[in-house]
Amino acid sequence: MFSIEDLEQISASVCRDMLGLNVQPRPIESQTSNAIVAAIRISGDWNTILEISTTPRAAQLVAQSMCGLTSEEMSEADIKDALGEIANMIGGNIKGALPGDSKLSLPCVGDHDQFPSDAQTGLSIDLSLEEQPFRVSMDTPAPANA
Amino acid sequence: MKVLIVDDSKAMRMIIQRTLKQAGFGQHQYIEAENGKQALDIVDVERPDTILSDWNMPEMKGIELLRSLRDKGNQTRFGFITSESGADVLQEAKTAGAEFVITKPFTADRFAAELEKVLG
């Protein structure tokens, strides 16, 4: 089924190949309290929620890379939009790797305290994105009839 | 050639346009829409030669946009650039009349290879 290696490969491909950012594995550490979180839901034959949790600085780097703008030219909305799109791309590729018919929600992005929990109930990887912590976690995909 | 890029993410519209130029398609005029509904309005006015659309969008999804255009007899060349990568999506897109589906993440090399027949 879907493995942590799959999650790492998809996440790194999105950040490195498309955005041209330096991505490396990073030792697991506690999340910073001011993290920005992007989440997306897969529902249907398989169900899971994917979350990206990272620093505002890393989110800004993602947005700069996607938009080709300087930090002064970008708004907070641009930064949230870009991080949400990263969640969308990772989520879409995960959905494509799962069998059956599932749907992908639109992403939502907010501050860490707007999301109920970052408890690790499934797969989680910690990456270093331009030396900033970048965590991708998801519930273990469960079939609809589980 | 006039190319309409439809995506609800401003960041994605910007990186698509930049990557198209990197892929050698900088000679075209690019216009944008935030969702399928807005794209329908723009198509009537701007009459683009090609539409590159996301799949998942609020207001009107990309597949609904394509079907709506074909229902009206509009045969503008149409392809998807989407995070959706399942075989079901590919089949649905082709059945509705899409010429291609490019999955995100993409690169300039991938755009060059897949879009040459459309934008070259």
Side-chain angles (χ1 to χ4, degrees):
Chain A
M1 189 41 66
F2 196 81
S3 69
I4 197 156
E5 288 78 17
D6 295 325
L7 181 62
E8 184 166 356
Q9 190 276 326
I10 290 171
S11 303
S13 172
V14 167
C15 296
R16 183 175 51 226
D17 300 343
M18 186 159 170
L19 303 183
L21 297 174
N22 181 24
V23 182
Q24 302 290 336
R26 181 188 185 98
I28 292 173
E29 59 186 40
S30 59
Q31 201 64 38
T32 54
S33 58
N34 67 339
I36 179 169
V37 176
I40 197 161
R41 178 188 293 272
I42 296 169
S43 57
D45 288 347
W46 290 84
N47 297 291
T48 185
I49 293 175
L50 173 91
E51 278 189 14
I52 294 172
S53 180
T54 191
T55 61
R57 174 66 185 145
Q60 187 180 55
L61 290 169
V62 166
Q64 278 181 252
S65 177
M66 286 186 77
C67 299
L69 300 174
T70 65
S71 56
E72 291 76 23
E73 293 171 315
M74 285 187 311
S75 67
E76 187 179 335
D78 292 334
I79 292 170
K80 287 184 173 179
D81 172 42
L83 195 66
E85 195 56 29
I86 297 297
N88 187 40
M89 281 188 276
I90 295 173
N93 280 267
I94 291 169
K95 172 186 167 286
L98 295 171
D101 184 21
S102 298
K103 303 292 179 201
L104 193 65
S105 75
L106 293 171
C108 59
V109 185
D111 296 329
H112 183 259
D113 57 9
Q114 291 177 270
F115 290 79
S117 168
D118 65 349
Q120 304 307 306
T121 57
L123 307 174
S124 181
I125 55 166
D126 277 75
L127 299 172
S128 168
L129 186 77
E130 300 290 341
E131 302 189 356
Q132 292 287 315
F134 189 89
R135 174 176 292 170
V136 184
S137 55
M138 60 185 283
D139 298 328
T140 303
N145 57 1
Chain B
M1 189 182 293
K2 193 181 283 185
V3 181
L4 174 60
I5 299 170
V6 190
D7 199 305
D8 57 314
S9 165
K10 175 185 168 189
M12 185 52 65
R13 294 196 303 271
M14 293 177 89
I15 198 170
I16 287 173
Q17 196 169 146
R18 203 167 68 248
T19 308
L20 284 166
K21 289 173 181 171
Q22 289 168 354
F25 305 122
Q27 72 274 32
H28 303 308
Q29 179 189 355
Y30 294 102
I31 53 178
E32 299 181 1
E34 292 180 11
N35 57 59
K37 198 173 173 184
Q38 191 181 82
L40 276 179
D41 294 338
I42 290 174
V43 165
D44 285 341
V45 177
E46 298 284 346
R47 302 192 178 281
D49 302 287
T50 301
I51 300 172
L52 307 175
S53 178
D54 190 16
W55 186 279
N56 254 339
M57 293 179 287
E59 299 278 339
M60 180 187 273
K61 292 183 175 184
I63 190 71
E64 294 167 340
L65 167 63
L66 173 55
R67 287 177 181 145
S68 182
L69 288 169
R70 295 299 186 253
D71 284 349
K72 294 197 302 181
N74 185 312
Q75 296 298 320
T76 304
R77 304 188 85 170
F78 196 106
F80 288 101
I81 300 176
T82 173
S83 300
E84 298 275 356
S85 59
D88 53 334
V89 165
L90 190 65
Q91 185 56 49
E92 202 175 347
K94 296 284 183 188
T95 302
E99 285 191 48
F100 56 87
V101 176
I102 298 176
T103 53
K104 304 168 186 174
F106 48 74
T107 62
D109 287 346
R110 179 114 182 273
F111 270 8
E114 299 221 27
L115 295 175
E116 176 60 28
K117 64 181 183 300
V118 181
L119 301 180

